[in-house]
Amino acid sequence: MNDPAPGPAFRNPALPVAERVADLLARLKLEERIGLLHQYQAPVERLGLRAFRTGTEALHGLAWHGPATVFPQAVGLASTWNPDLVREVGEATADEVLAFHHKDPAGVGRNVWAPVVNPLRDPRWGRNEEGYSEDPWLTGVMGTAYARGLRGDHDVLKTAPTLKHFLAYNNETDRCVSSSSVPPRVLHEYELRAFRRPLESGAAVAVMPSYNLVNGRPAHLSPLIGGLLRTWVDGDLLVVSDAYAPGNLTRLQGYHRDLPEAYAHAIRAGLDSFTQDDDDPSATLGHIREALRRGLLDEADVEAAARHVLSIRIRLGDLDPATPYDDVTQEVVNSPEHQALAREAARQSITLLKNDGILPLRAPKTVAVVGPLADALFEDWYSGTLPYQVTALAGLSERCATVYCEGVDRVALRAEAGYLAAGSDPQGGPLWVGTDRSGFDVFDWGGGAFAFRAAANGRHVSVAADGVLVNDQPGPSGWEVRQTFRMEERPRGVVLRNISTGHYVAVEGGVVGTVEDPEAAAVLVVELVESGAERAARAAAAADVAVVVAGDHPLVNGRETEDRSDLALPARQEALVRAVHAANPATVLVVSSGYPFAVTWADEHLPAVLWSAHGGQEYGRALAAVLFGDEDPGGRLTQTWYRSAAELPDLFDYDVIASDATYLYYRGRPLYPFGHGLSYTCFAYADLELSADVLAPGGTLTARVTVTNTGGREGEEVVQFYTHQQRSRVKQPVRQLRGFRKVRLAPGESRTVSVEVPAADLAFWDVTRGRFIVEEAAHKLMVGRSSRDVVLAAHFTVSGERIPPRDLSARPLDAADHDEYDGVVLCDAAPEAGDAVRAAGAGAWISFRDADFGRPGAGPSTCALAVSSTEGGVVTLRVDDPLCGDVIGAVTVPPTAARHDLVEVVTPLAGSPGVRDLYVVFESEGVTVSTLGFRP
């Protein structure tokens, strides 16, 4: 297909990519190279280069371009614990991207912005649904599988997958201005680990930095892009900005004085493509030209970025006479094969959290299907347009008689002048005030967010561009969701505040609109017309079984730009569950959500609880197949379900080690642990064997175990292997996933499964020497059904190295490489590179354990600290204790002009020979320390 052809080398597919890129770069003028550094790349007609754009959303199917197959959300795909299946979904998605690209090359590019590999550190994160797991290794496995499917197996890429979002990004609150404080161990063992596997394997070929800052420096300027990420790949890595993030470098973040300076820094740091100003590159390219004129960039910087861009284009076959994918047509979109794949992915993602024996259902005559999600499928921001919808109600109705109740309250809203009213026109219209008692159905999506649907036409109330309330929307929708309100209490009723605009519902001249002034808001009396819970209870009482489908709306209270504040099921949904159970104890709760809920009451009282992410177009059939026992529930949790948000650290605390966060370090009793998920059958584990009792540093341990289906039906088990290092210089995970195998066994069938654990995987980051090490220590290997349901264990020893005391004479100590801390944040030592430590309050400290001060009379006599502080302050050096340890030195920090203006201050050291714990105590708030150098 791509035989060598006469013409320029860059057109010859038989030549190596690097040679083709070099040839093309040599032919491009500087201005043409600059034109490649924007999302929308202009054509170069004299060389036959077409226009090219980066960025097609494809997180769990093609998004934003019309009907396409919609698969379960990413967190649901990961819950299958089936990388082969996830890869198949990636392949199907890539095929549909190609089909749309062939139809609209300018509108649908082949650089896809997926997968998201941010570890799911905190379940309150608004974008939890986009990630895979709280475990970075499992995130890497699933991200690699999906990206491998997206890229294909041919040398010519199907699509060019882009990893999002680098780095340490798990908060929507203040996301563009907040800084994630990430200590070295957390950086290397947790955050970076999720990115490394997809890049090293070649599955992903691009990376997108995140909106936030990391240790005080914008992620788009991270020195890790060039200094680390690009060392993990063979060939070139494309780095694309997030939308409008480059402009934040001066506006919101104030990191640089102007955009030419900021863009120059970004390009030098490794950014290749600016996603700025939509499809208008003129301003961006102008700033790059100005940076060149000022000498902030040179032509070699532009050439390097252009090379990365062109490398991906050539690997996509963009400059080839033909590609292996030219025959992909629209027939693949929502094809029967993709529908079946969507159904199987949904089925394997459904996770049985509790079952007292009510499931599988035993031929019920009638099932009451209840809840706000019972007959609804929702699209999230990064999903495609559903080509059809099989809801829970539709799926169950194909199997037996059903009765349906949405279970939401119908209310009337009475203002001083009358009732808020809505018309019956299917297209909707402005609300008004009248005498008739019109009804509105109230949807509680948690976090104080409510949506109102007019009973007159079944359309949701929204705030129009002119501020008038209209009943014209099918539900919460769009980037700026204008269909949700908060109900704020007032002495005579409530006022409604639109969440998007922040404005209050008001009535003036019979028109229902919004105003900014809360004092002008209309005080409304909420009159209950009909109780949704009571109506649902009556339906449940008349049925054999009740299935309540509850959960979240993907565009409300937990989405991009909005974190959750708690883990509770929305209050009205919780009341619905309790009312239905009171009417019929045979009640099954099905949670459909992009994140965990603290369903503690349901776990204590209901006979069965299931969860799945929003499952795509075939969700209802997959759910019915599981509920009726046609299939085993195949899902297992990829993150911890806590009992309360009180068990979580602060949302902005990224130090999972110090805060005991995620299953790796959490020592409490979760509602449902990482890896949890039940089967309809039982499995026994036996004969755990290890290939060795002692593992050499470069060796690999093989663990084998025999699993037997001891039940009476076929079922699936996810056999999970964990390790724990039992002795260490540092705090180690309580348990850490090392491998898994998903098996399907017939009754009585046994199978021996194995995983390999390279000794290198047992390494941790040694802050004393700035590298990974495998420590000499005893380890325990555990195998079981989840991180907490361990069935068998065995012990082995690793003959690694021992960490010596810190050699203070070898090199200066980086303050960021401390062992423990209190009251400090990590910050940037300089704009380009380097981390430092800043005191968030007086009395803060950092410690360096096992510091070797040498023999008496032979140790260091002075310590030079690189410090800054706009106000000045004092830093004290103590040994053995930060409060009452002996003082061995102290420095006065002079006021500095700016935080990056580090100055050197020196203190003589009192005698403290031997190996001691060194504490650097910040007596003043705002003092920054970058390094400590000990001198004879």
Side-chain angles (χ1 to χ4, degrees):
M1 178 175 294
N2 279 333
D3 296 328
F10 74 84
R11 289 285 184 189
N12 189 345
L15 294 177
V17 171
E19 186 175 336
R20 297 176 67 187
V21 171
D23 177 72
L24 180 53
L25 275 174
R27 298 171 186 270
L28 289 171
K29 300 174 183 178
L30 176 60
E31 183 61 27
E32 292 166 338
R33 295 176 182 179
I34 293 172
L36 298 173
L37 307 190
H38 189 270
Q39 180 185 18
Y40 288 84
Q41 300 169 27
V44 182
E45 295 180 357
R46 68 182 185 86
L47 296 177
L49 267 68
R50 296 170 292 191
F52 185 89
R53 62 157 291 183
T54 63
T56 294
E57 300 293 351
L59 185 59
H60 53 108
L62 174 65
W64 300 5
H65 292 286
T69 308
V70 178
F71 298 96
Q73 292 175 309
V75 70
L77 292 176
S79 298
T80 66
W81 288 65
N82 188 339
D84 292 337
L85 179 63
V86 173
R87 178 173 176 166
E88 287 185 57
V89 172
E91 291 172 351
T93 299
D95 286 342
E96 298 200 10
V97 170
L98 286 167
F100 276 83
H101 173 74
H102 291 156
K103 184 174 68 173
D104 180 12
V108 183
R110 289 168 58 202
N111 166 233
V112 293
W113 288 354
V116 171
V117 292
N118 299 103
L120 302 180
R121 173 188 60 88
D122 193 307
R124 294 168 297 187
W125 183 33
R127 303 180 75 170
N128 190 86
E129 66 197 23
E130 298 181 33
Y132 292 118
S133 174
E134 69 185 28
D135 181 272
W137 178 82
L138 184 58
T139 294
V141 168
M142 293 302 177
T144 299
Y146 191 69
R148 178 63 63 180
L150 288 172
R151 79 177 300 284
D153 294 322
H154 199 279
D155 287 342
V156 178
L157 301 174
K158 267 189 176 182
T159 67
T162 303
L163 301 183
K164 298 160 61 174
H165 311 81
F166 186 79
L167 174 73
Y169 169 45
N170 287 123
N171 61 276
E172 297 305 293
T173 307
D174 297 331
R175 66 176 181 173
C176 293
V177 295
S178 63
S179 177
S180 306
S181 188
V182 183
R185 281 195 64 200
V186 177
L187 174 68
H188 291 278
E189 297 175 32
Y190 192 74
E191 296 290 348
L192 290 173
R193 195 178 190 198
F195 287 84
R196 185 166 189 165
R197 187 185 187 104
L199 291 175
E200 282 192 332
S201 68
V205 298
V207 168
M208 174 189 288
S210 49
Y211 283 114
N212 56 292
L213 300 88
V214 179
N215 296 349
R217 183 181 296 107
H220 279 71
L221 306 179
S222 174
L224 296 171
I225 294 172
L228 197 60
L229 295 188
R230 287 200 158 108
T231 69
W232 291 345
V233 300
D234 293 326
D236 289 312
L237 177 72
L238 174 67
V239 179
V240 302
S241 84
D242 210 335
Y244 282 82
N248 293 341
L249 295 171
T250 58
R251 298 167 192 164
L252 293 175
Q253 295 166 347
Y255 203 77
H256 282 290
R257 290 172 296 181
D258 59 25
L259 289 175
E261 179 183 284
Y263 287 12
H265 187 175
I267 291 171
R268 292 198 315 271
L271 185 65
D272 307 311
S273 178
F274 288 74
T275 312
Q276 185 73 35
D277 302 325
D278 297 324
D279 60 354
D280 181 7
S282 57
T284 294
L285 304 186
H287 296 314
I288 295 173
R289 295 186 198 101
E290 175 62 16
L292 284 164
R293 189 190 68 79
R294 294 186 196 174
L296 302 173
L297 283 177
D298 56 40
E299 292 188 20
D301 297 316
V302 173
E303 179 176 332
R307 183 180 70 247
H308 302 145
V309 172
L310 292 173
S311 175
I312 298 304
R313 290 184 62 170
I314 287 175
R315 293 179 66 188
L316 283 166
D318 185 57
L319 306 181
D320 294 353
T323 77
Y325 318 113
D326 291 345
D327 59 350
V328 177
T329 69
Q330 286 293 116
E331 292 182 1
V332 304
V333 178
N334 191 36
S335 64
E337 294 79 12
H338 289 183
Q339 293 174 11
L341 181 61
R343 183 165 57 254
E344 180 61 13
R347 195 277 299 175
Q348 290 199 35
S349 74
I350 294 172
T351 306
L352 182 59
L353 301 177
K354 177 186 178 181
N355 186 22
D356 286 347
I358 189 174
L359 296 179
L361 297 177
R362 295 167 179 82
K365 295 181 179 179
T366 305
V367 174
V369 188
V370 174
L373 286 85
D375 194 30
L377 293 183
F378 296 134
E379 298 167 0
D380 61 53
W381 184 245
Y382 292 104
S383 74
T385 302
L386 289 160
Y388 61 87
Q389 302 184 30
V390 183
T391 66
L393 175 63
L396 291 169
S397 296
E398 293 177 354
R399 307 299 300 271
C400 69
T402 58
V403 292
Y404 166 63
C405 179
E406 199 168 26
V408 298
D409 290 341
R410 179 161 292 178
V411 303
L413 301 172
R414 177 165 54 84
E416 184 176 352
Y419 288 97
L420 270 59
S424 59
D425 186 332
Q427 301 303 314
L431 270 60
W432 71 90
V433 175
T435 57
D436 293 338
R437 196 167 180 247
S438 296
F440 294 89
D441 299 326
V442 183
F443 292 83
D444 180 2
W445 295 120
F450 296 90
F452 296 85
R453 185 182 62 198
N457 71 345
R459 308 289 281 183
H460 277 63
V461 176
S462 181
V463 176
D466 60 2
V468 173
L469 267 61
V470 291
N471 61 323
D472 65 347
Q473 296 296 313
S477 60
W479 175 255
E480 185 181 352
V481 178
R482 300 171 73 94
Q483 298 84 35
T484 54
F485 301 82
R486 302 201 189 282
M487 289 195 279
E488 299 180 0
E489 297 287 339
R490 292 290 189 271
R492 295 179 289 108
V494 301
V495 297
L496 299 182
R497 187 178 190 184
N498 184 256
I499 294 176
S500 174
T501 65
H503 294 175
Y504 293 84
V505 173
V507 176
E508 185 175 352
V511 176
V512 183
T514 55
V515 295
E516 189 172 356
D517 182 7
E519 298 302 320
V523 177
L524 304 173
V525 176
V526 181
E527 298 179 356
L528 182 64
V529 176
E530 185 176 16
S531 167
E534 292 178 3
R535 190 167 68 253
R538 291 193 296 269
D544 298 312
V545 175
V547 175
V548 181
V549 189
D552 76 311
H553 193 298
L555 298 180
V556 182
N557 184 35
R559 52 155 288 171
E560 185 170 0
T561 72
E562 183 181 2
D563 298 309
R564 289 190 296 166
S565 60
D566 60 43
L567 305 180
L569 199 66
R572 295 191 185 210
Q573 294 190 41
E574 178 80 19
L576 175 66
V577 172
R578 298 189 185 199
V580 170
H581 177 259
N584 186 342
T587 294
V588 176
L589 173 62
V590 176
V591 180
S592 179
S593 67
Y595 42 66
F597 279 110
V599 288
T600 53
W601 186 93
D603 180 70
E604 293 172 4
H605 295 89
L606 268 58
V609 180
L610 300 93
W611 170 81
S612 79
H614 292 280
Q617 61 200 53
E618 284 285 339
Y619 167 73
R621 290 195 181 100
L623 177 64
V626 170
L627 291 177
F628 279 90
D630 302 344
E631 297 285 354
D632 213 33
R636 301 295 185 269
L637 298 180
T638 62
Q639 59 187 141
T640 303
W641 282 44
Y642 298 92
R643 295 178 178 275
S644 165
E647 297 177 323
L648 295 168
D650 188 274
L651 179 67
F652 294 95
D653 190 345
Y654 278 75
D655 190 346
V656 296
I657 300 175
S659 63
D660 291 338
T662 77
Y663 87 98
L664 294 165
Y665 297 96
Y666 179 63
R667 296 179 180 273
R669 186 170 64 92
L671 179 62
Y672 303 117
F674 174 87
H676 174 70
L678 304 176
S679 169
Y680 288 150
T681 188
C682 300
F683 298 92
Y685 290 65
D687 303 326
L688 174 61
E689 296 180 356
L690 304 183
S691 60
D693 295 327
V694 179
L695 179 62
T700 297
L701 181 77
T702 301
R704 297 181 180 85
V705 70
T706 299
V707 184
T708 302
N709 183 347
T710 59
R713 57 170 289 153
E714 186 178 49
E716 291 179 331
E717 177 74 322
V718 178
V719 185
Q720 302 167 40
F721 294 81
Y722 298 84
T723 66
H724 169 63
Q725 183 170 330
Q726 296 179 294
R727 185 180 65 255
S728 178
R729 179 188 181 276
V730 302
K731 183 178 180 179
Q732 291 286 346
V734 178
R735 61 196 70 79
Q736 189 162 6
L737 182 69
R738 298 300 182 186
F740 63 91
R741 292 291 182 268
K742 189 169 189 176
V743 295
R744 189 177 186 92
L745 301 177
E749 182 183 1
S750 296
R751 189 175 304 169
T752 298
V753 299
S754 65
V755 300
E756 293 185 343
V757 183
D761 285 0
L762 304 176
F764 62 89
W765 187 258
D766 176 18
V767 295
T768 72
R769 290 172 290 177
R771 63 177 175 87
F772 276 104
I773 70 131
V774 177
E775 195 175 25
E776 180 179 337
H779 291 251
K780 180 167 71 171
L781 183 139
M782 300 160 280
V783 61
R785 305 178 183 93
S786 78
S787 60
R788 295 299 182 102
D789 190 356
V790 172
V791 181
L792 298 172
H795 295 81
F796 66 98
T797 300
V798 176
S799 57
E801 58 182 304
R802 294 184 179 181
I803 299 175
R806 289 181 185 262
D807 185 354
L808 299 182
S809 64
R811 58 181 177 85
L813 291 181
D814 285 331
D817 286 335
H818 53 265
D819 287 290
E820 295 179 339
Y821 64 91
D822 182 64
V824 301
V825 295
L826 288 160
C827 60
D828 48 337
E832 290 76 19
D835 291 338
V837 175
R838 184 175 67 247
W845 53 263
I846 56 176
S847 71
F848 300 87
R849 291 178 49 209
D850 302 329
D852 188 355
F853 285 90
R855 293 176 287 104
S861 62
T862 63
C863 178
L865 293 83
V867 298
S868 71
S869 173
T870 57
E871 302 294 329
V874 174
V875 175
T876 304
L877 304 184
R878 293 178 180 266
V879 290
D880 301 332
D881 188 274
L883 297 178
C884 55
D886 291 342
V887 175
I888 63 170
V891 295
T892 298
V893 179
T896 54
R899 60 192 177 95
H900 292 143
D901 292 338
L902 295 169
V903 297
E904 183 180 278
V905 290
V906 180
T907 177
L909 295 176
S912 56
V915 177
R916 314 285 291 272
D917 292 344
L918 170 66
Y919 286 85
V920 180
V921 183
F922 299 79
E923 308 293 357
S924 312
E925 180 181 352
V927 171
T928 295
V929 175
S930 174
T931 60
L932 300 89
F934 292 85
R935 301 168 181 171

